Amino acid sequence: MAQAQSLENAHVQHHFRSSDQQFSSSKLGMWLFLFTEVMFFGGLFVAYIIYRAWNPELFTMAATELSTVLGGINTVVLIGSSLTCALAIRAAQTNNQKMIVNYLLVTIVLATVFLVIKYFEYTAKFEVGILPGGMYTFEGIDHPKASVFFSIYYMMTGLHGIHVIIGIGLMIWLVVKARAGAYSSAYYTPVEITGLYWHLVDIIWIFLFPLMYLID
């Protein structure tokens, strides 16, 4: 009995009294980190609001150069990835080792699809001169500050894309560990806190999509 309990608590670090305390502390740490991320993106959203208030007609014209279809597909893709990520957490809670890996792999595939679509969006704009700041050469928008919208667009979507790449890296690490049998109902903390991070990535895009693509 004592040996079994020892194996069950093998993941508990020495500075925690119990598995529950370690789990709670890990979640608290992740929530604090996510709060700093919200504050970080919040500053960019404030900048967006200010520049849009100053140049409403520019933002309306510039948004027509974005593909609502591709943006909508990416929205569906990310929402689907949040679902599969949540299912991976549930699989860990129910000791379903195979489905932990499968759901994480599906999440990784969906995240990769998101990045591929974003790559085609970016390259299509680069080819016609829709670039940030002083590199902007596109003549299809008749406004002296046309580059402002796209500078904000690249800043916000690019930063979000970096977060997607980080999320993919974290989930690849989870897959490697899950295949080694590291997670079960007794210990699934890394899966859950990575899931929290991924849900934030999804939520940020849900705000970015209407703000950038659905301006009317």
Side-chain angles (χ1 to χ4, degrees):
M1 177 71 72
Q3 184 177 3
Q5 186 173 4
S6 177
L7 289 173
E8 184 177 334
N9 295 325
H11 60 274
V12 180
Q13 299 297 312
H14 67 89
H15 46 279
F16 292 107
R17 289 195 303 269
S18 66
S19 179
D20 288 341
Q21 185 191 45
Q22 178 172 278
F23 179 70
S24 298
S25 299
S26 299
K27 286 191 71 174
L28 176 60
M30 177 52 76
W31 278 114
L32 291 174
F33 170 73
L34 295 181
F35 176 74
T36 65
E37 290 288 283
V38 170
M39 295 293 288
F40 182 46
F41 274 97
L44 294 175
F45 281 119
V46 169
Y48 169 92
I49 292 169
I50 292 172
Y51 278 103
R52 182 173 175 179
W54 287 346
N55 306 280
E57 70 291 345
L58 163 62
F59 275 57
T60 301
M61 288 189 294
T64 61
E65 297 298 327
L66 302 181
S67 173
T68 304
V69 173
L70 292 180
I73 292 172
N74 261 351
T75 302
V76 173
V77 166
L78 271 192
I79 291 174
S81 72
S82 269
L83 172 61
T84 55
C85 188
L87 289 172
I89 297 171
R90 181 58 182 166
Q93 292 171 335
T94 56
N95 290 310
N96 193 334
Q97 302 292 331
K98 180 180 178 180
M99 294 312 296
I100 298 173
V101 174
N102 289 345
Y103 283 129
L104 286 173
L105 287 174
V106 173
T107 307
I108 291 169
V109 169
L110 290 174
T112 303
V113 169
F114 177 91
L115 291 177
V116 169
I117 292 175
K118 185 55 64 180
Y119 166 79
F120 284 113
E121 275 195 273
Y122 276 11
T123 53
K125 291 174 180 57
F126 293 164
E127 289 174 358
V128 296
I130 299 178
L131 294 161
M135 296 182 290
Y136 182 89
T137 59
F138 184 61
E139 297 180 354
I141 299 176
D142 186 19
H143 196 286
K145 296 182 179 179
S147 65
V148 170
F149 173 85
F150 292 103
S151 295
I152 295 173
Y153 165 79
Y154 284 121
M155 175 66 75
M156 298 183 77
T157 59
L159 185 61
H160 177 264
I162 291 173
H163 281 71
V164 173
I165 293 171
I166 293 171
I168 290 174
L170 290 172
M171 284 182 283
I172 290 173
W173 173 73
L174 289 178
V175 167
V176 172
K177 299 288 286 184
R179 281 179 169 167
Y183 308 123
S184 66
S185 59
Y187 176 64
Y188 56 90
T189 303
V191 184
E192 175 136 347
I193 63 176
T194 300
L196 288 174
Y197 170 86
W198 192 249
H199 293 325
L200 175 69
V201 171
D202 183 22
I203 290 170
I204 289 172
W205 179 257
I206 288 174
F207 280 97
L208 285 177
F209 174 61
L211 288 177
M212 293 291 181
Y213 291 79
L214 303 181
I215 298 174
D216 188 353

